[in-house]
Structures are given as C-alpha cells and as structure tokens.
Amino acid sequence: MAGVFEAAMRSAYAEKGLEIPEKKTITLHVKDEVRPSQPKKKKKKRHNSSPESSIKIATKQEQARLPDLSCYEAPRKNVSPPPAKPDYELIVPEGAQLAIIDSVSHVGRYLENYLANGNRVQAYSSITDERSVSIGLDFGTSSIKTVIGDSALEKAFAVPFRDLPDIGRYLLPSRLYETAGKYSLVGGSSTHRDLKLGGSSTHRDLKLALVASPQNIELQIHVAAFLALVIRHARGWLFDEHADLYSRTKIYWKLAVGLPVAYQLDEELSKVFVHLSEVAWMLANTTAEISTDLVRAAIARSSEDAHSSDSISDDADIEVEVITEIAAQTYGFVSSSKFDKKAPNNFLMVDVGAGTVDSSLFHVKPARGGKWDFELFTTVVEPHGVMNLHRHRIDWWQKALRALPEVHGAKLAELLESRKFPTDRVIAIPECVTKYLVGTKLSFREKLCNPDHFFYQRKVVAQVRGKTYWRTWKDGFLSPEDLKEIPVFYCGGGMRMSYYNDLRHEMRLMPNFTWLCANPKTLTIPGNLEAPGLKREDYDRLSVAYGLSLLEVGKVVRALPKPKIDIPMEFSWRDNYVDKDQC
C-alpha cells in the first residue's frame, strides 16, 4: 500500500514539474533505555502512608459532593506561539535608486531611407524571369524580425532595421508612433503606452493586446499600420541592396506570418492575422502616408473584397499564410544534413519570449512536394515570458517598499510603476530580483520565499516539464523509452538570461523519473542565410523568420493518444482449455 501511495505522489509532483520534498526523519529521545536481553525486575509493592495514595477515582455522584477547590489553583499563563519569522530582510537607505535602464534611448538609429522605394511591388524595367519570393514576418511581443526568401536562388536575406552591431540591427521594436493621425516607425520618447507628448503617441504591446481582444478595431488599425510600414521597409531594402537580382524579374509575392501553435490552431484568431496581413500589404502599396483614416478604409475595403467576385490587381494579389512558429523554427535543422529521416524525429521546443513561453513536443516528417508535416503531441503557451517575470518582480518590490515606514520607500514604488508595463524592451532586465534597486540590502529567509524561485519552479518549470514533457507520456502519446534523451531546442530572447537558461540543466535530470531527461540541441546558421554581423549564438532570434521565408508546410495536426490495451496479469491453463461438454 505504501508503494502505491509513493508512486501516486511521484506522479502528482512530476505532472506539476516539481520534485518530491526530502523526507524528514524524526528522532525519539527515550529517557530510560530498556535492554531486551535483561528482563525487567519486579518491583516490590510499597505501602505509602500518604493520603494521596489511598484516594480512588471518584464517581460522578461522588464528584458532585466534593468541595470545589479550584480557587486555590495557581493561575495558568497563556503561552502564545513564537512570532513567525519574516520572509525577507530589506534595508532601503534614503539614497537608494532604481537600477532599471529605460530601453527607449538605446534602440539605435532607424534606417528610414529604405521606406522611399518600399511602396513598389516590382523593381524590373524589362522582364526576363519570374519567380516566387516570400517575406517571413516573425511578429514578436518585443520586436519583429524579417527575412526575405528566394527558393529559386536558394537564398535568404535578413532585413536590417537599425544602425546597431550584431543581432541588434535585425530587431525592430514592436512599437508604433502616431503624430496628427499619421503613423511611423520613428519618433516619440515616451515610456508609456499611448502617452501623448507634444502631439504624438506611442502605441506599444501591439501583439498581445490584439491576441487578448482580436475584434477591437483600434487594435487592428495599429497592427495593420505597423505591419504595412515593416513591409514597405523590407521591400525597399531588397530593391535598393539587391537591385541586380530583381531588375529583370517579375516577383510573385508571398507573405508568411508566424504564430504560436495555440494561436495558429485558433481559427478565429488566425483569420484576424491573415486579414490584417492582407490589409497591411494593400497599405504598403500606396504612395500616401499611412494614417488612421487610410487604415480604417483599407480594413473596410478588404472585408468587402472578400465577398466580391471582382478580380484584384497584381499589386494587391498576395498569398498570405499563417504558419506555426515551431515549424518555422526547426526548418533550418530539418532541412540540413544533420536531419536523419530514419530517426524518431520527436522534438521538444521551448521558445522564451518577452510575453510568453511557448513549449511544444511534436513529430516532424518530410511530405510530398518538398513539404513538411508536423504532428503535435502537447503544446502550451502561457504568460511566463521575460516581461511577465519583470512585472512579477515589480509587484513584489512595490508591496515590500510600501510596507516600509520610510516615505522614500513609497516614492520608489511609484517610480517602479512607470517601468512595469512596456513589453517592447530591447535592454535586458536585471538577472535577479535583488538587482532592481541600487544601494539596498535584500536577503530571504529561505529559497521558497524568493519571488524568482517561485516564478521559475511553479510557472516556468511546471509548464515545460510538467504540462508539456511529462504530459506527453501521461496522455498516452509516447512511451518513456520514446521520451528519454529527446532532442530539445531552446530559443528566444529570454534564453539570454541565466534565469531561463537554467532550463538546460533543469531538464536534464528529474529525480524519481530518470527517463525525463531532454538533450539540448543548438540551431546553427544555415549556409544560405545572408545576415552580415550575425553571431552563431544569436541565430535562434532569426530562426523563425528564416523558416517562414522558405518553409513549405504540409499538414499540421494534433496527435491522437495511442490506444491502451489491457493485458490480464494472470493466465490459467483453463483459459485455453475447451471442455468436452462444449464439443
């Protein structure tokens, strides 16, 4: 019975991604030790002449006749339990300051000169060739990444947005500026969403806001305007920097937008992103400045064209496809020589973004026509990304600071509020909760009291190991033998933090379940990707956009659990014996 209970406990903890707490041993202190080899000596009865020895237990009737002597008893002291120790010790001197750097002043100079040629759909003067070209848009919570793929040339071009070194040049903050009803990718200096300064507004949190309220027309306008400006920039850059490749080529355009699996399988949400991508393409083709009225009219026109049988012009003819991000992210690997078609090819993918952590366990196989099929076992998207960790920490700090008797504690809590909500940061947040203020002293009574530990174990690890990895076995998709040493890819900007990077070690070992051990794999830069200055360790930031620009997806389906066959544990010779009376 104890073994069954222990197995159930292990399963319950593993499903949450947690380890079973260590057993505590209790030592009993016995005053007089009796040796079993020595028999007890019989004690002689002693006749005590004291009155107490002759008192017998009185019956209820006799107790009622006894005098009440309680007034002579000594008063009992009320012993209260010792006060609970505080979870933390915090000292905030008057000179303490915030240590969080505002990212707005560190975004680099935007390369706006490419916008001028971006409203053109073609660059040819005379046609001698025609082929398909795809724009892959990895529309992330904090930034957007774009890669243009030409399958005929077998090349992909990463589009730079800013005058910065390394990966920074290819990351454009997901931020839209509005001045007098007109939109742009530059301008403004506010750290607040929709805070008006000098007649201009900064719209932030574009993607997550739309996911939360996809039918909100104002949010749709902001996303369509932002994507239109990005498309203009990408086409303008291609025509300026690679005019020799396309000056005689007619391009048939394709637009591929990446979404997490859970969003992509949401039919209504997927339709919204397809619709807004089509609107963005229409807007990018105009010569006028992109304004609120223009976007609103384009959304209405696009809805009417969807129900119209009239043919559309070549400029507006665009193939838009929403593709699951895990499929795009792994394309560089599955299309390389490292991919073994005869292997099981089950993979675990963990993408740590600004807003969410996207974890999926899936099977991939090549299909006909150069396409790839994906079978999804488990897929989970939860708000455990970097900026939600950041907000979790700030909530803790604000509560702790407001509990201080000093006035400057409340002032620091107010300053933290302005750093709490933007999701388009390009500067990393502090590595741990203790680094948010300079000049303070913070220590925790134990690990469980630390908000970082709570968020990591109860949210991040519980999602990746419990709801994704463990659940694949729990729901009957794969066996422990299939899951042991399964390849896992860790991607996204959040993996630059040692906080999230600890998943590589965390997922290598699970006490009591030795088969829950994932083997980390590294995505390498494909040989056909042109991205000057990109470092090998930063390729995963562009892997989705690269895959979107070249990947041909076949089927993306949810897997069905394997049927469970109950096999009797005991067999008898009578099971196979036919009685003579049955003949």
Side-chain angles (χ1 to χ4, degrees):
M1 187 69 182
V4 174
F5 178 74
E6 185 177 355
M9 284 287 292
R10 289 177 179 176
S11 297
Y13 272 83
E15 189 166 0
K16 296 292 185 181
L18 303 175
E19 299 179 11
I20 298 178
E22 295 181 0
K23 296 180 180 179
K24 294 182 179 180
T25 56
I26 301 174
T27 305
L28 299 177
H29 298 280
V30 183
K31 186 175 181 181
D32 296 323
E33 182 179 357
V34 179
R35 298 180 181 178
S37 58
Q38 297 178 355
K40 294 182 179 179
K41 295 180 180 181
K42 293 184 179 180
K43 295 182 179 180
K44 295 181 180 181
K45 293 183 179 179
R46 295 181 180 180
H47 297 281
N48 194 338
S49 58
S50 63
E52 294 178 359
S53 62
S54 61
I55 296 177
K56 298 181 180 179
I57 299 176
T59 64
K60 291 183 179 180
Q61 293 79 5
E62 292 173 337
Q63 288 178 358
R65 293 194 297 268
L66 291 175
D68 185 8
L69 303 178
S70 60
C71 60
Y72 297 100
E73 294 180 0
R76 296 181 179 180
K77 295 182 180 180
N78 293 326
V79 180
S80 57
K85 294 181 180 180
D87 291 343
Y88 61 90
E89 180 184 359
L90 176 62
I91 301 175
V92 183
E94 185 136 6
Q97 297 178 346
L98 300 187
I100 307 172
I101 301 174
D102 184 13
S103 64
V104 174
S105 59
H106 294 77
V107 296
R109 183 179 66 85
Y110 170 63
L111 305 175
E112 55 186 321
N113 53 302
Y114 294 120
L115 281 172
N117 288 331
N119 56 6
R120 293 188 298 157
V121 178
Q122 305 292 340
Y124 61 80
S125 54
S126 61
I127 302 176
T128 59
D129 184 23
E130 56 183 36
R131 58 177 177 265
S132 175
V133 176
S134 298
I135 299 178
L137 293 179
D138 179 12
F139 182 19
T141 301
S142 63
S143 63
I144 191 167
K145 288 78 68 178
T146 304
V147 174
I148 299 176
D150 190 327
S151 56
L153 293 178
E154 296 184 349
K155 285 188 177 182
F157 309 96
V159 179
F161 288 100
R162 300 183 294 162
D163 184 16
L164 287 175
D166 306 329
I167 186 63
R169 65 189 280 106
Y170 302 108
L171 307 179
L172 177 68
S174 297
R175 186 182 308 155
L176 182 68
Y177 297 99
E178 180 183 357
T179 303
K182 296 180 180 179
Y183 299 109
S184 68
L185 298 176
V186 291
S189 59
S190 171
T191 60
H192 299 277
R193 182 174 181 265
D194 286 341
L195 178 63
K196 299 185 180 300
L197 289 175
S200 64
S201 304
T202 306
H203 303 290
R204 314 178 81 163
D205 201 20
L206 300 176
K207 181 180 177 180
L208 291 184
L210 181 65
V211 169
S213 184
Q215 301 305 323
N216 186 311
I217 188 63
E218 296 300 322
L219 299 177
Q220 289 185 6
I221 289 173
H222 297 159
V223 170
F226 177 70
L227 294 180
L229 291 169
V230 171
I231 292 170
R232 271 190 185 177
H233 177 100
R235 288 194 314 217
W237 174 84
L238 184 70
F239 294 155
D240 282 0
E241 299 297 329
H242 297 282
D244 57 325
L245 295 177
Y246 298 99
S247 60
R248 295 177 179 270
T249 301
K250 182 176 180 178
I251 300 174
Y252 293 96
W253 289 100
K254 176 183 175 182
L255 192 61
V257 181
L259 281 180
V261 180
Y263 298 164
Q264 194 260 348
L265 294 176
D266 185 334
E267 187 175 350
E268 292 302 317
L269 184 60
S270 183
K271 285 181 179 179
V272 170
F273 273 90
V274 169
H275 178 221
L276 294 181
S277 299
E278 293 172 345
V279 171
W281 186 265
M282 292 168 50
L283 292 168
N285 299 343
T286 64
T287 57
E289 288 188 88
I290 297 177
S291 64
T292 302
D293 294 337
L294 186 65
V295 179
R296 195 183 299 273
I299 291 176
R301 177 187 166 191
S302 177
S303 300
E304 294 173 1
D305 290 343
H307 302 285
S308 174
S309 59
D310 297 338
S311 61
I312 56 178
S313 64
D314 291 341
D315 288 351
D317 189 8
I318 179 69
E319 179 187 352
V320 176
E321 187 176 8
V322 172
I323 298 176
T324 173
E325 290 177 353
I326 61 166
Q329 204 138 40
T330 55
Y331 174 73
F333 172 77
V334 300
S335 61
S336 69
S337 58
K338 294 182 179 180
F339 183 74
D340 182 6
K341 295 180 181 180
K342 297 181 180 179
N345 292 323
N346 299 316
F347 300 99
L348 175 62
M349 175 71 73
V350 181
D351 187 354
V352 182
T356 61
V357 173
D358 183 0
S359 53
S360 302
L361 206 152
F362 58 95
H363 173 72
V364 59
K365 63 180 179 181
R368 293 182 179 180
K371 296 185 177 183
W372 296 86
D373 290 343
F374 293 83
E375 186 181 21
L376 308 173
F377 300 118
T378 52
T379 176
V380 185
V381 179
E382 293 194 345
H384 302 152
V386 176
M387 293 313 298
N388 282 310
L389 166 65
H390 176 66
R391 292 172 184 176
H392 173 74
R393 290 171 171 177
I394 287 185
D395 285 339
W396 184 93
W397 267 109
Q398 288 179 316
K399 183 178 180 181
L401 289 170
R402 287 167 180 157
L404 295 175
E406 295 84 1
V407 177
H408 59 271
K411 291 181 178 179
L412 288 171
E414 291 178 10
L415 290 175
L416 282 170
E417 187 70 21
S418 65
R419 309 297 199 278
K420 185 175 181 179
F421 292 103
T423 57
D424 54 1
R425 288 181 62 91
V426 293
I427 300 297
I429 66 172
E431 279 290 344
C432 58
V433 68
T434 58
K435 302 297 183 181
Y436 271 61
L437 269 70
V438 177
T440 61
K441 181 182 178 182
L442 173 62
S443 60
F444 294 95
R445 177 168 53 86
E446 58 183 20
K447 187 183 290 186
L448 292 175
C449 300
N450 190 323
D452 277 5
H453 180 79
F454 175 87
F455 192 93
Y456 180 73
Q457 288 292 338
R458 300 299 175 90
K459 295 181 181 292
V460 179
V461 175
Q463 173 190 342
V464 177
R465 184 160 62 193
K467 296 181 181 180
T468 308
Y469 197 9
W470 159 268
R471 200 74 195 179
T472 305
W473 169 79
K474 175 73 173 179
D475 290 346
F477 293 111
L478 296 175
S479 67
E481 291 75 19
D482 296 327
L483 291 169
K484 187 174 183 179
E485 293 290 338
I486 195 168
V488 54
F489 297 100
Y490 296 101
C491 308
M495 289 303 295
R496 272 75 190 151
M497 291 181 61
S498 60
Y499 180 88
Y500 288 98
N501 201 47
D502 283 346
L503 281 171
R504 297 178 185 273
H505 172 72
E506 185 82 34
M507 297 293 291
R508 288 293 296 153
L509 178 64
M510 175 66 177
N512 304 313
F513 292 91
T514 56
W515 51 270
L516 277 177
C517 52
N519 186 19
K521 296 290 184 181
T522 303
L523 295 171
T524 57
I525 301 178
N528 64 342
L529 174 62
E530 293 189 9
L534 179 66
K535 295 180 180 178
R536 179 178 178 272
E537 59 269 22
D538 290 328
Y539 164 66
D540 66 289
R541 302 293 301 275
L542 291 181
S543 59
V544 172
Y546 169 78
L548 291 171
S549 70
L550 293 174
L551 173 65
E552 292 291 336
V553 178
K555 294 182 295 183
V556 178
V557 298
R558 286 189 181 274
L560 295 176
K562 295 179 181 179
K564 295 182 179 180
I565 302 175
D566 294 329
I567 302 175
M569 298 301 294
E570 295 181 1
F571 297 93
S572 172
W573 62 272
R574 295 181 183 274
D575 295 337
N576 297 318
Y577 175 75
V578 181
D579 191 85
K580 64 182 179 65
D581 295 334
Q582 304 296 327
C583 298

